[in-house]
PDB file of all heavy atoms in Angstrom:
ATOM      1  N   TRP V 152      -5.350 -34.354   0.608  1.00 89.00           N
ATOM      2  CA  TRP V 152      -4.233 -33.932  -0.233  1.00 89.00           C
ATOM      3  C   TRP V 152      -4.651 -33.121  -1.484  1.00 89.00           C
ATOM      4  O   TRP V 152      -5.784 -33.446  -2.077  1.00 89.00           O
ATOM      5  CB  TRP V 152      -3.428 -35.169  -0.730  1.00 89.00           C
ATOM      6  CG  TRP V 152      -2.609 -35.744   0.425  1.00 89.00           C
ATOM      7  CD1 TRP V 152      -1.259 -35.382   0.641  1.00 89.00           C
ATOM      8  CD2 TRP V 152      -2.923 -36.592   1.377  1.00 89.00           C
ATOM      9  NE1 TRP V 152      -0.814 -35.996   1.786  1.00 89.00           N
ATOM     10  CE2 TRP V 152      -1.828 -36.865   2.214  1.00 89.00           C
ATOM     11  CE3 TRP V 152      -4.045 -37.330   1.715  1.00 89.00           C
ATOM     12  CZ2 TRP V 152      -1.783 -37.636   3.263  1.00 89.00           C
ATOM     13  CZ3 TRP V 152      -4.033 -38.158   2.709  1.00 89.00           C
ATOM     14  CH2 TRP V 152      -2.969 -38.285   3.486  1.00 89.00           C
ATOM     15  N   VAL V 153      -3.981 -32.053  -1.710  1.00 87.00           N
ATOM     16  CA  VAL V 153      -4.396 -31.127  -2.854  1.00 87.00           C
ATOM     17  C   VAL V 153      -3.196 -30.971  -3.725  1.00 87.00           C
ATOM     18  O   VAL V 153      -2.020 -30.855  -3.345  1.00 87.00           O
ATOM     19  CB  VAL V 153      -4.742 -29.732  -2.269  1.00 87.00           C
ATOM     20  CG1 VAL V 153      -5.055 -28.686  -3.234  1.00 87.00           C
ATOM     21  CG2 VAL V 153      -5.939 -29.855  -1.169  1.00 87.00           C
ATOM     22  N   TRP V 154      -3.441 -31.116  -5.060  1.00 87.00           N
ATOM     23  CA  TRP V 154      -2.432 -30.927  -6.046  1.00 87.00           C
ATOM     24  C   TRP V 154      -2.434 -29.479  -6.388  1.00 87.00           C
ATOM     25  O   TRP V 154      -3.465 -28.832  -6.720  1.00 87.00           O
ATOM     26  CB  TRP V 154      -2.662 -31.813  -7.347  1.00 87.00           C
ATOM     27  CG  TRP V 154      -1.802 -31.449  -8.432  1.00 87.00           C
ATOM     28  CD1 TRP V 154      -0.499 -31.803  -8.537  1.00 87.00           C
ATOM     29  CD2 TRP V 154      -2.070 -30.553  -9.547  1.00 87.00           C
ATOM     30  NE1 TRP V 154      -0.011 -31.364  -9.702  1.00 87.00           N
ATOM     31  CE2 TRP V 154      -0.978 -30.583 -10.408  1.00 87.00           C
ATOM     32  CE3 TRP V 154      -3.229 -29.899  -9.901  1.00 87.00           C
ATOM     33  CZ2 TRP V 154      -0.900 -29.838 -11.485  1.00 87.00           C
ATOM     34  CZ3 TRP V 154      -3.118 -29.171 -11.099  1.00 87.00           C
ATOM     35  CH2 TRP V 154      -1.968 -29.041 -11.984  1.00 87.00           C
ATOM     36  N   LEU V 155      -1.270 -28.834  -6.492  1.00 81.00           N
ATOM     37  CA  LEU V 155      -1.113 -27.443  -6.962  1.00 81.00           C
ATOM     38  C   LEU V 155      -0.094 -27.445  -8.051  1.00 81.00           C
ATOM     39  O   LEU V 155       1.076 -28.004  -8.079  1.00 81.00           O
ATOM     40  CB  LEU V 155      -0.681 -26.559  -5.806  1.00 81.00           C
ATOM     41  CG  LEU V 155      -1.581 -26.353  -4.618  1.00 81.00           C
ATOM     42  CD1 LEU V 155      -1.027 -25.539  -3.574  1.00 81.00           C
ATOM     43  CD2 LEU V 155      -2.924 -25.742  -5.155  1.00 81.00           C
ATOM     44  N   PRO V 156      -0.359 -26.642  -9.205  1.00 78.00           N
ATOM     45  CA  PRO V 156       0.499 -26.591 -10.323  1.00 78.00           C
ATOM     46  C   PRO V 156       1.666 -25.614  -9.933  1.00 78.00           C
ATOM     47  O   PRO V 156       1.741 -25.042  -8.933  1.00 78.00           O
ATOM     48  CB  PRO V 156      -0.195 -25.881 -11.349  1.00 78.00           C
ATOM     49  CG  PRO V 156      -1.253 -25.081 -10.647  1.00 78.00           C
ATOM     50  CD  PRO V 156      -1.572 -25.874  -9.445  1.00 78.00           C
ATOM     51  N   GLY V 157       2.753 -25.683 -10.804  1.00 66.00           N
ATOM     52  CA  GLY V 157       3.887 -24.793 -10.656  1.00 66.00           C
ATOM     53  C   GLY V 157       5.058 -25.387  -9.908  1.00 66.00           C
ATOM     54  O   GLY V 157       5.009 -26.524  -9.527  1.00 66.00           O
ATOM     55  N   LYS V 158       6.118 -24.578  -9.681  1.00 54.00           N
ATOM     56  CA  LYS V 158       7.327 -24.995  -9.025  1.00 54.00           C
ATOM     57  C   LYS V 158       7.020 -25.224  -7.644  1.00 54.00           C
ATOM     58  O   LYS V 158       6.255 -24.554  -6.885  1.00 54.00           O
ATOM     59  CB  LYS V 158       8.486 -24.143  -9.277  1.00 54.00           C
ATOM     60  CG  LYS V 158       8.870 -23.916 -10.792  1.00 54.00           C
ATOM     61  CD  LYS V 158       9.958 -22.858 -10.823  1.00 54.00           C
ATOM     62  CE  LYS V 158      10.370 -22.709 -12.344  1.00 54.00           C
ATOM     63  NZ  LYS V 158      11.463 -21.782 -12.523  1.00 54.00           N
ATOM     64  N   PRO V 159       7.827 -26.194  -6.999  1.00 48.00           N
ATOM     65  CA  PRO V 159       7.685 -26.359  -5.573  1.00 48.00           C
ATOM     66  C   PRO V 159       8.053 -25.073  -4.770  1.00 48.00           C
ATOM     67  O   PRO V 159       8.910 -24.350  -5.147  1.00 48.00           O
ATOM     68  CB  PRO V 159       8.709 -27.378  -5.154  1.00 48.00           C
ATOM     69  CG  PRO V 159       8.955 -28.086  -6.446  1.00 48.00           C
ATOM     70  CD  PRO V 159       8.798 -27.055  -7.541  1.00 48.00           C
ATOM     71  N   THR V 160       7.202 -24.832  -3.676  1.00 49.00           N
ATOM     72  CA  THR V 160       7.394 -23.598  -2.929  1.00 49.00           C
ATOM     73  C   THR V 160       6.716 -23.739  -1.587  1.00 49.00           C
ATOM     74  O   THR V 160       6.154 -24.948  -1.355  1.00 49.00           O
ATOM     75  CB  THR V 160       6.770 -22.377  -3.617  1.00 49.00           C
ATOM     76  OG1 THR V 160       7.090 -21.176  -2.801  1.00 49.00           O
ATOM     77  CG2 THR V 160       5.290 -22.419  -3.764  1.00 49.00           C
TER      78      THR V 160
END
Side-chain angles (χ1 to χ4, degrees):
W152 283 269
V153 178
W154 171 82
L155 294 177
K158 296 179 180 179
T160 185

